[in-house]
């Protein structure tokens, strides 16, 4: 259930408002809608909040797109606090008519111009404590700290600053962030055997508090079973068990399970004496008469951190008790020389260096087992092309906490520029500019802030330049 909180007040120009609405139409177009799929609501911010439509209003893209096209701006004051109270007490409240569905992820996406957001820290904190994932898109560049504190961690993935004319550039990133939340907030059970199971979840406590996990049998495929005091209510299959995990944990191993038995699991995050939303799931252990699945000593190989002359190759799972070591063989396609790298059994990644720019390589990862068997997987990787770097970055102070940046650009394949400036050890603002812009003015920039400009190409970012305000 995804609720969009749209700034419809008078501080937003009419042109900006219609650009935001068009952005929502493009953002939501790929989603499958319906009672058993994604549901979307729209709440407008003005002098009084206005619920444009609730989660159960539209179950088709045609209806949703038409409704967005009919959306009119409210104007008036920017009363975000009252809109958040309505969101929390009505729209995002689970189990009430027209509200969110129980035990399913809830997402709040706030689109704002960043002007006078109000005292939103407390209502946003309440929503996050109740399990709502908060994302923010700001078309202005003020109130960074307020907006950063509003979003759910990690802030670098859930807070977006962008000019209104370039807002569509973040459509894919924002959509992926929503999808990741929808997928990750469910409680998952993996690697189920006859007597054990691995429980995994998305961390919501940011290192504080703890997770309370209770699990027990509710149905058995076997006849008979132990009973007596402390057993599961009404089943006679055995006692419920309880374990705890620290606040920074994201998994737990369930042990001492019975074969061929269905278990129920409840995970409750607990912090600051307040209980957050519990997650629930069920699973069934393997029967003893079935052979256990063969351990996949090598099941995934991924590539990341690609540059012009290096690339990181990662693999999994990491099983040092079964693996003697790993070997990587790689060569440039089609007929480059073969190179070999050996890696210890306690590593699950390595960086291949000395590669040629803009070249495709064939990489084979082999896991040598203690039993003498070997399993291998092969992937193709591409290094980045050498991209033109930014040149001649100039900074001029134009007022109190305001600076003007100028640079030289206009290269083939240029998509735009990323401007970033730091406001402290953990604070950073970002701004995306189109390729025809070779200057910009930044406001509210503190003294000695580090400012960087990087060119963005179709495949990657080019080398940028930095200066200090």
């Amino acid at each position: 259930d995804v609720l969009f909180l749209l700034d419809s007040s008078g501080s937003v120009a009419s042109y900006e408002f219609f650009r935001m609405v068009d952005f929502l139409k493009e953002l939501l177009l790929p989603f499958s809608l319906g009672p058993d799929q994604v549901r979307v609501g729209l709440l407008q911010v003005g002098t009084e909040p206005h619920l444009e439509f609730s989660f159960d209003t539209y179950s088709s893209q045609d209806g949703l797109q038409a409704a967005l096209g009919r959306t009119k701006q409210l104007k008036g004051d920017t009363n975000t606090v009252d809109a958040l109270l309505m969101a929390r007490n009505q729209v995002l409240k689970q189990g009430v008519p027209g509200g969110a569905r129980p035990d399913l992820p809830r997402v709040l996406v706030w689109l704002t111009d960043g002007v006078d957001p109000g005292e939103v820290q407390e209502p946003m904190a309440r929503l996050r404590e109740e399990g709502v994932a908060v994302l923010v898109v700001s078309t202005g560049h003020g109130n960074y700290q307020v907006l950063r504190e509003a979003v759910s961690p990690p802030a670098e993935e859930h807070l977006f600053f962008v000019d209104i004319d370039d807002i569509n550039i973040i459509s894919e990133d924002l959509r992926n962030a929503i999808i990741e939340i929808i997928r990750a907030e469910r409680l998952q059970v993996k690697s189920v055997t006859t007597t054990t199971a691995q429980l995994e979840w998305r961390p919501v406590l940011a290192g504080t508090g703890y997770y309370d996990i209770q699990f027990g049998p509710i149905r058995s495929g076997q006849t008979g079973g132990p009973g007596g005091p402390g057993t599961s209510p009404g089943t006679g299959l055995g006692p419920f068990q309880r374990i705890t995990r620290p606040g920074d944990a994201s998994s737990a191993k369930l042990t001492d399970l019975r074969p061929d038995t269905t278990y129920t699991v409840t995970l409750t995050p607990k912090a600051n004496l307040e209980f957050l939303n519990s997650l629930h799931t069920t699973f069934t252990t393997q029967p003893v008469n079935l052979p256990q699945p063969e351990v996949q000593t090598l099941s995934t190989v991924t590539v990341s951190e690609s540059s012009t002359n290096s690339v990181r190759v990662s693999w999994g799972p990491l099983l040092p008790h079964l693996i003697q070591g790993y070997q990587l063989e790689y060569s440039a396609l089609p007929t480059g020389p073969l190179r070999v790298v050996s890696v210890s059994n306690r590593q699950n990644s390595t960086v291949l260096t000395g590669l040629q720019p803009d070249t495709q390589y064939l990489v084979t990862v082999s896991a040598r087992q203690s039993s003498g068997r070997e399993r291998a997987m092969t992937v193709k990787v591409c290094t980045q092309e050498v991209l033109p770097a930014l040149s001649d970055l100039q900074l001029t102070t134009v007022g109190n906490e305001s600076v003007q940046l100028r640079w030289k650009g206009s290269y083939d394949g240029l998509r735009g520029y990323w401007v970033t400036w730091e406001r402290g050890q953990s604070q950073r603002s970002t701004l995306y500019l189109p390729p025809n812009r070779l200057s910009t003015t930044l406001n509210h920039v503190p003294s000695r802030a580090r400012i960087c400009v990087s060119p963005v190409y179709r495949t990657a970012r080019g080398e940028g330049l930095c200066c200090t305000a």
Side-chain angles (χ1 to χ4, degrees), residues 22 38 49 81 90 134 166 215 232-233 331 383 385 389 394 403 449:
D22 286 341
V38 174
V81 173
Q90 298 180 35
V134 178
D166 306 308
F215 60 100
S232 306
S331 62
T383 52
E385 60 181 322
Q394 299 180 10
V403 297

Side-chain angles (χ1 to χ4, degrees), residues 184-189 199-201 265-267 279-281:
E185 289 205 355
R186 295 173 181 169
L187 192 59
Q188 299 182 5
V189 181
L199 197 64
E200 296 183 0
W201 62 90
V265 184
T266 300
L267 180 140
L279 298 177
H280 308 274
T281 191

Side-chain angles (χ1 to χ4, degrees), residues 14-73:
S14 299
Y15 167 75
E16 292 180 302
F17 179 80
F18 288 111
R19 286 285 292 155
M20 287 185 181
V21 172
D22 286 341
F23 168 70
L24 286 181
K25 294 171 71 175
E26 176 187 336
L27 176 75
L28 293 171
L29 190 59
F31 284 100
S32 298
L33 307 178
D36 299 319
Q37 302 289 334
V38 174
R39 302 194 308 172
V40 175
L42 179 61
L43 178 59
Q44 293 204 71
V45 176
T47 305
E48 298 290 337
H50 172 69
L51 184 60
E52 191 70 24
F53 51 83
S54 59
F55 290 134
D56 55 6
T57 306
Y58 298 106
S59 58
S60 70
Q61 278 290 345
D62 289 343
L64 176 63
Q65 295 290 324
L68 289 171
R70 294 192 300 267
T71 302
K72 304 297 183 183
Q73 188 173 4

Side-chain angles (χ1 to χ4, degrees), residues 126-270:
R126 292 292 183 186
L127 284 168
R128 295 196 307 271
E129 289 171 359
E130 293 171 359
V132 177
V134 178
L135 296 85
V136 174
V137 175
S138 176
T139 59
H141 310 297
N143 296 294
Y144 171 84
Q145 192 60 35
V146 172
L147 301 182
R148 189 179 191 280
E149 293 175 357
V151 300
S152 301
E156 57 269 17
E157 296 180 9
H158 295 159
L159 176 58
F160 300 84
F161 282 95
V162 65
D163 277 355
I164 189 64
D165 289 326
D166 306 308
I167 191 170
N168 294 89
I169 197 71
I170 67 168
S171 293
E172 185 175 354
D173 288 341
L174 179 59
R175 188 184 303 121
N176 288 339
I178 295 172
I179 293 172
E180 182 66 22
I181 292 169
I182 292 172
R183 289 174 175 172
E185 289 205 355
R186 295 173 181 169
L187 192 59
Q188 299 182 5
V189 181
K190 300 182 178 180
S191 304
V192 179
T193 69
T194 56
T195 58
T196 64
Q198 183 79 4
L199 197 64
E200 296 183 0
W201 62 90
R202 178 176 180 265
V204 295
L205 294 177
T208 63
Y210 67 96
Y211 294 97
D212 181 86
I213 304 168
Q214 298 187 53
F215 60 100
I218 57 175
R219 185 170 60 254
S220 175
Q222 300 175 331
T223 58
T231 60
S232 306
T235 67
L237 295 175
F240 268 65
Q241 301 182 56
R242 179 179 181 179
I243 59 176
T244 59
R245 298 287 287 135
D248 58 355
S250 60
S251 66
K253 189 170 186 178
L254 310 183
T255 60
D256 299 324
L257 308 179
R258 292 169 56 94
D260 196 18
T261 301
T262 300
Y263 282 81
T264 180
V265 184
T266 300
L267 180 140
T268 305
K270 297 185 178 181

Side-chain angles (χ1 to χ4, degrees), residues 326-406:
Y326 298 95
Q327 181 172 282
L328 284 79
E329 300 177 348
Y330 60 103
S331 62
L333 294 176
T335 57
L338 180 67
R339 286 186 270 181
V340 180
V341 174
S342 296
V343 181
S344 80
N345 63 347
R346 296 190 177 276
Q347 284 184 240
N348 64 350
S349 71
T350 192
V351 177
L352 305 181
T353 59
L355 309 181
Q356 295 297 316
D358 196 19
T359 302
Q360 189 176 59
Y361 284 80
L362 192 68
V363 181
T364 299
V365 181
S366 302
R368 301 188 304 275
Q369 302 181 33
S370 303
S371 62
R373 300 179 61 185
E374 185 174 290
R375 180 174 174 82
M377 295 185 69
T378 299
V379 294
K380 289 182 180 179
V381 304
C382 293
T383 52
Q384 301 289 342
E385 60 181 322
V386 178
L387 301 173
L390 193 77
S391 62
D392 195 22
L393 176 63
Q394 299 180 10
L395 180 146
T396 305
T397 301
V398 296
N400 185 26
E401 292 191 337
S402 295
V403 297
Q404 186 178 65
L405 297 173
R406 294 181 180 275

